[in-house]
Amino acid sequence: MYKIIKIFLLGTLSLVFTLSCGIYLALNLSLPRLSGELLSAHISKDITLERDRLGTAVISGQSRKDVTYGLGFAHGQDRFFQMDLLRRNAAGELSEIFGEKALSLDKKRRFHQFRKRAEGIVANLPITEKMMLQTYANGVNDALAEQHLDSFEYLATGTKPKPWVPADSLLVIYSMYLDLQGRTPTRDMVLTQIEQLHGQEMLAFIIQNSPYQAALDGSLLPNESVAVPRLSPRSLLAAKITDIEEPLDIGSNNWAVTGELTQSGKGMLSDDMHLSLAAPIIWYRAQLNYINTAGNKEEKVQVTGVSLPGAPAIVVGTNGLLAWGFTNAYIDTADWVALTPADKISTEVETIALPDSNIEYTIELSRFGPVKWVNEQAYGLSWVAHRDYAVDMELMALETADSVEQGLTLATRFGIPVQNIMLVDSDGNAGWTPAGAVPSRTNSSNTAQKANRFQINAWMEDEAVLPQVYNPESQRLWSANSRVMSSQVAKRFGDGGYALGARAQQIRDRLFESTSFTEASFLKLQLDNEARFLSSWHEYLITLLATQPKRFAKDIQLLRDWNKCACADSVGYTLVRGFRTQLIDTVFAPLETELNEIELSLSVVKRYLEPAIWQIITEQPESWLPEQYSSWDEFIISSYQVSVTGLLAKHSEAGELEDLQWGKVNQLEIKHPFSRQIPLLSRFLDMPKVAGYGDSFMPAVQRGSFGASQRFIVQPGLEEQAVMMVPGGQSGHPLSDYYRSGFDDYAKQKSTALLPGDILHKITIKAGD
């Protein structure tokens, strides 16, 4: 028996070893080659693709068209599967790879018919843009053809990569629409249903103006007195306390100063875009070197920054004369229209492919847009992403712009989700404007409109006149997803889900603490995790617990030692943060329960609830107090206890408060999508776990898998001093040297250079058949 077991074990181990060797060999064969010579019929002159220690793609050629091919080739080598996911996400084609488990998401995406829209837009693009997209696609597909074996993701899913086509690059932009504006229609629908269920008073209470405002001109929206509406006993009794998900799309900071505040006299820009973080990270470091022949002279262009794999543009970067960066603008870009029986509804059938079959999915359409039924009422959605002017390649024009004034003019033409663009130039100028697709309609609304108010013709036009600020008197500019424009102009453009202005206020105040700035001081501000916003919550909680000093002695001490920051070792910060979240979830449970019944949630408007929760704490309305509590103090202390119990259950085996350090509770975990489904793959695919640093309401934004997807600081013309930190590597291949490159610098908050370093690999692609 012993011999049999021994033989079996040896055989099993041999089989495992052989399989492991086979898998390792297959993975190695799927690595792209990084050096050598190739031929391509898709370029007019030879180009080079070089890589440094971080894998930065340095692409050099004689024309923008040729380096577009090179960028497509680099993206195709390093990120094709991620590009594939982006196009499939927008088009609703994930089920073809992942089967029925992706079917629900695909149906939600097919609602927007983005594949059909992208193909229609490509057909009508100017010939130069169409050729640029085709050239980029040629580069991607040639990179695929060069691989000896498909990447491991295709091997694991048993699928094959499909060639890239020009419409796919527009689908990548549509995928960003879904990330950056996808909650705006949901927000308006939630507010519509709150009004339907509880009336105008409740709606006004929920969306009352916040005291946290930081517009560039200092204008304020009025903090009008809004009465706490009476909550019906039925709603209170039916309430089920659940976690109201905190939306993670509140992200991105940028700010700038003019040359008046730098030693060089050049403008300086900071930009950190906040997104969900996964391995590999969404951005791709690149430098393009080419000759611009527009006009009567030839000029050398060198543009350095980050690109979005799937598209041929440098999204955030510098050309030595002008630098630019973005934050999500959150102005209103969507309207629901309540349909009447007189409004005609038609249908279209979408075919969704599964690995071994197809299904047909029917979409209802109205003259306003696709139709959604909520609580037995039909609504048509008009969203800027559905318009022909929503996507184009105009962003690429920034590469050859030489001044802030020129950049501000170009920004009005961009076909991207509308962003706050911040620009600085080497002459010391700085400017801001909303950049991207903005409908010309003038009657934005928080709730569904009636058909007779819908400005259908204005929706067909991209707004040409947008507010801007150029060289402000203060020499400082800032944005952080809250309202940037004046209170008067904001009425025209509406609210599409502005962030609470606490983060913007903190950035603004920090900028006014100094009269001279360097890259180091800008990085320090990017990493600012002082808990200014939660200070009032901290004070209130200590005061509340001090009414029972013996019972909460340890809690009070930990709160007093909180260091007023979202620091890794702060337990007090965790207690305050958890208390605020739990109290909001508990107080607003009656509304959340009702919304859940019609498949909606307060999540998309949770950012608005700060003024309302404080009004309830202050006024303590009887109709909002659950009947099992005799006082509001008892109820609020109970909420604190529920919060602590939940935190301990999740983060402490011993049940000790000391285990609730914020760095542990808010640990940064950047995971690969596959490891989320198969945890055994985590050690091979995920970035190392890092103690949490920062939070949602301060410049240093960081949650468990959400935060700064890049940190960029630059003075145009002084790129050798510039910073570009990215929390992950260039390659999507786990055996590549470039899979985790750059992550350590990011995790240790160590400045990483923007410009490429010493070249380690070089591919020469020669023009020819």
Side-chain angles (χ1 to χ4, degrees):
M1 180 64 72
Y2 174 76
K3 279 188 174 183
I4 295 174
I5 294 173
K6 185 177 180 180
I7 291 170
F8 174 77
L9 288 175
L10 286 172
T12 302
L13 289 172
S14 297
L15 180 61
V16 170
F17 177 76
T18 302
L19 287 172
S20 298
C21 289
I23 292 169
Y24 185 80
L25 180 61
L27 288 174
N28 269 285
L29 287 174
S30 65
L31 280 166
R33 65 163 161 161
L34 304 181
S35 299
E37 289 189 359
L38 304 171
L39 281 176
S40 174
H42 297 122
I43 55 177
S44 58
K45 298 282 182 67
D46 297 355
I47 64 172
T48 59
L49 166 56
E50 301 171 307
R51 289 179 170 91
D52 67 354
R53 71 171 183 89
L54 293 174
T56 306
V58 182
I59 303 159
S60 303
Q62 291 298 302
S63 68
R64 182 54 166 99
K65 182 172 178 287
D66 284 347
V67 298
T68 296
Y69 172 92
L71 185 60
F73 191 91
H75 286 166
Q77 281 194 312
D78 289 332
R79 296 290 191 86
F80 185 80
F81 184 74
Q82 288 71 41
M83 294 160 57
D84 196 4
L85 292 186
L86 284 175
R87 65 175 171 178
R88 288 178 179 276
N89 173 59
E93 297 170 353
L94 291 166
S95 298
E96 191 172 7
I97 291 181
F98 300 110
E100 291 188 359
K101 57 190 172 187
L103 197 52
S104 176
L105 179 60
D106 276 354
K107 288 178 179 179
K108 290 179 182 178
R109 299 300 191 239
R110 291 297 177 103
F111 180 78
H112 303 291
Q113 296 184 297
F114 282 141
R115 170 70 71 182
K116 179 179 177 180
R117 298 181 195 280
E119 290 172 348
I121 289 172
V122 166
N124 292 295
L125 279 176
I127 188 64
T128 53
E129 291 189 24
K130 194 182 300 186
M131 288 177 61
M132 198 68 74
L133 289 176
Q134 184 59 62
T135 299
Y136 176 83
N138 292 337
V140 174
N141 293 328
D142 283 356
L144 281 182
E146 278 294 314
Q147 283 192 224
H148 297 294
L149 197 67
D150 293 337
S151 65
F152 83 95
E153 297 98 337
Y154 292 106
L155 297 176
T157 56
T159 56
K160 299 290 289 183
K162 289 187 173 181
W164 198 260
V165 298
D168 293 335
S169 290
L170 300 190
L171 285 169
V172 167
I173 302 175
Y174 280 131
S175 209
M176 296 309 292
Y177 267 99
L178 290 166
D179 276 353
L180 299 172
Q181 292 184 10
R183 286 179 176 264
T184 298
T186 309
R187 165 198 177 273
D188 286 6
M189 182 55 71
V190 167
L191 295 178
T192 297
Q193 296 308 312
I194 288 174
E195 185 178 41
Q196 293 287 328
L197 293 166
H198 293 279
Q200 178 62 36
E201 285 187 359
M202 183 67 79
L203 177 65
F205 177 63
I206 294 296
I207 63 171
Q208 61 182 293
N209 293 328
S210 164
Y212 296 98
Q213 301 181 44
L216 291 175
D217 70 343
S219 62
L220 298 174
L221 295 171
N223 293 114
E224 298 171 345
S225 177
V226 177
V228 179
R230 183 173 180 80
L231 195 63
S232 73
R234 180 176 56 82
S235 295
L236 194 63
L237 189 62
K240 299 176 182 177
I241 300 172
T242 58
D243 294 338
I244 302 173
E245 181 187 356
E246 184 172 310
L248 295 177
D249 55 356
I250 306 173
S252 305
N253 304 320
N254 61 18
W255 59 86
V257 297
T258 68
E260 297 286 332
L261 302 181
T262 64
Q263 291 183 349
S264 67
K266 302 176 186 297
M268 185 157 62
L269 168 72
S270 168
D271 187 82
D272 52 291
M273 298 182 287
H274 308 151
L275 295 168
S276 294
L277 304 179
I281 211 68
I282 189 169
W283 305 116
Y284 185 89
R285 302 171 70 105
Q287 182 185 87
L288 307 182
N289 299 276
Y290 61 95
I291 306 297
N292 178 34
T293 57
N296 298 322
K297 57 181 180 178
E298 293 186 350
E299 294 178 325
K300 290 184 177 180
V301 175
Q302 182 179 89
V303 56
T304 312
V306 291
S307 59
L308 175 62
I314 298 297
V315 177
V316 166
T318 175
N319 64 14
L321 299 173
L322 178 72
W324 60 94
F326 297 103
T327 70
N328 204 22
Y330 282 113
I331 64 177
D332 191 6
T333 56
D335 284 328
W336 290 100
V337 180
L339 305 182
T340 67
D343 290 306
K344 183 180 178 182
I345 296 177
S346 61
T347 61
E348 287 189 16
V349 176
E350 292 273 322
T351 301
I352 301 177
L354 293 163
D356 301 312
S357 62
N358 296 324
I359 70 158
E360 292 187 342
Y361 179 61
T362 301
I363 300 169
E364 293 185 312
L365 302 170
S366 70
R367 64 191 177 102
F368 309 106
V371 175
K372 181 181 179 69
W373 289 82
V374 180
N375 220 6
E376 300 183 351
Q377 167 68 48
Y379 299 89
L381 175 63
S382 186
W383 181 21
V384 73
H386 297 161
R387 304 300 167 190
D388 288 348
Y389 55 82
V391 292
D392 58 35
M393 290 293 109
E394 294 289 342
L395 177 63
M396 294 168 63
L398 282 177
E399 295 176 10
T400 54
D402 59 10
S403 69
V404 168
E405 286 185 284
Q406 187 181 0
L408 290 172
T409 300
L410 292 170
T412 62
R413 308 203 310 253
F414 296 165
I416 59 174
V418 62
Q419 302 285 294
N420 295 305
I421 188 171
M422 206 73 75
L423 306 119
V424 298
D425 64 32
S426 57
D427 290 331
N429 303 300
W432 159 87
T433 192
V438 180
S440 291
R441 63 91 161 83
T442 56
N443 65 337
S444 66
S445 175
N446 288 315
T447 55
Q449 297 184 5
K450 292 183 178 179
N452 60 8
R453 291 195 69 244
F454 186 74
Q455 300 176 353
I456 193 163
N457 292 330
W459 264 99
M460 300 301 172
E461 300 293 330
D462 190 7
E463 178 59 63
V465 181
L466 296 168
Q468 60 178 241
V469 176
Y470 178 69
N471 287 346
E473 186 177 344
S474 71
Q475 315 300 331
R476 300 163 175 85
L477 294 166
W478 59 89
S479 80
N481 309 121
S482 57
R483 178 177 60 89
V484 179
M485 59 187 71
S486 72
S487 56
Q488 188 61 40
V489 175
K491 294 177 183 177
R492 152 70 181 85
F493 292 99
D495 181 352
Y498 281 136
L500 190 69
R503 182 159 41 91
Q505 278 191 348
Q506 192 160 330
I507 292 168
R508 177 201 63 192
D509 294 348
R510 290 294 196 198
L511 288 173
F512 280 95
E513 291 175 359
S514 179
T515 57
S516 180
F517 297 92
T518 64
E519 287 84 359
S521 59
F522 266 28
L523 181 57
K524 183 179 179 181
L525 178 46
Q526 286 184 347
L527 299 172
D528 178 14
N529 68 348
E530 183 182 346
R532 294 188 178 188
F533 168 72
L534 282 185
S535 291
S536 55
W537 283 95
H538 174 263
E539 181 180 347
Y540 173 70
L541 181 56
I542 283 185
T543 302
L544 184 69
L545 298 185
T547 61
Q548 300 179 41
K550 290 184 179 180
R551 180 183 179 188
F552 294 112
K554 183 181 287 189
D555 306 63
I556 292 169
Q557 187 58 52
L558 290 167
L559 286 165
R560 285 176 176 160
D561 294 338
W562 79 317
N563 294 324
K564 199 181 179 181
C565 65
C567 299
D569 60 352
S570 179
V571 174
Y573 186 88
T574 303
L575 297 178
V576 177
R577 182 64 158 82
F579 165 63
R580 175 185 178 274
T581 300
Q582 184 63 50
L583 186 61
I584 290 174
D585 291 353
T586 306
V587 168
F588 290 98
L591 272 63
E592 178 71 0
T593 300
E594 292 174 334
L595 289 170
N596 289 170
E597 290 174 356
I598 51 175
E599 299 182 351
L600 294 171
S601 170
L602 283 170
S603 171
V604 289
V605 295
K606 195 171 185 178
R607 67 195 72 175
Y608 292 90
L609 299 179
E610 184 69 10
I613 189 64
W614 275 110
Q615 193 171 353
I616 286 176
I617 289 171
T618 302
E619 299 182 19
Q620 300 189 352
E622 184 179 345
S623 69
W624 288 71
L625 180 65
E627 63 178 10
Q628 64 266 39
Y629 298 100
S630 60
S631 71
W632 271 93
D633 280 0
E634 181 189 357
F635 170 56
I636 295 173
I637 287 175
S638 174
S639 293
Y640 170 72
Q641 290 178 293
V642 170
S643 168
V644 171
T645 299
L647 287 165
L648 289 173
K650 190 173 182 181
H651 301 287
S652 174
E653 292 183 4
E656 297 292 338
L657 288 176
E658 288 83 358
D659 290 336
L660 300 181
Q661 302 96 338
W662 181 243
K664 178 182 175 182
V665 171
N666 193 43
Q667 184 171 247
L668 179 62
E669 297 184 59
I670 301 180
K671 304 177 74 66
H672 190 281
F674 280 21
S675 75
R676 294 183 184 278
Q677 304 302 320
I678 310 172
L680 287 174
L681 297 177
S682 182
R683 61 177 296 192
F684 304 105
L685 299 179
D686 297 345
M687 296 298 122
K689 294 178 181 179
V690 177
Y693 180 96
D695 194 9
S696 302
F697 308 112
M698 55 191 61
V701 169
Q702 191 240 292
R703 299 304 304 279
S705 58
F706 179 87
S709 58
Q710 46 73 240
R711 293 191 175 110
F712 178 48
I713 303 168
V714 66
Q715 298 181 66
L718 294 177
E719 279 74 16
E720 67 276 6
Q721 299 173 192
V723 174
M724 179 64 80
M725 301 162 65
V726 180
Q730 291 280 91
S731 175
H733 197 298
L735 293 186
S736 169
D737 292 340
Y738 298 134
Y739 186 69
R740 293 183 171 86
S741 57
F743 177 79
D744 282 348
D745 284 357
Y746 180 94
K748 295 173 183 176
Q749 300 163 12
K750 178 183 175 183
S751 177
T752 308
L754 165 71
L755 291 180
D758 294 339
I759 298 302
L760 302 181
H761 301 281
K762 179 178 179 179
I763 296 175
T764 300
I765 305 178
K766 293 183 172 292
D769 295 327

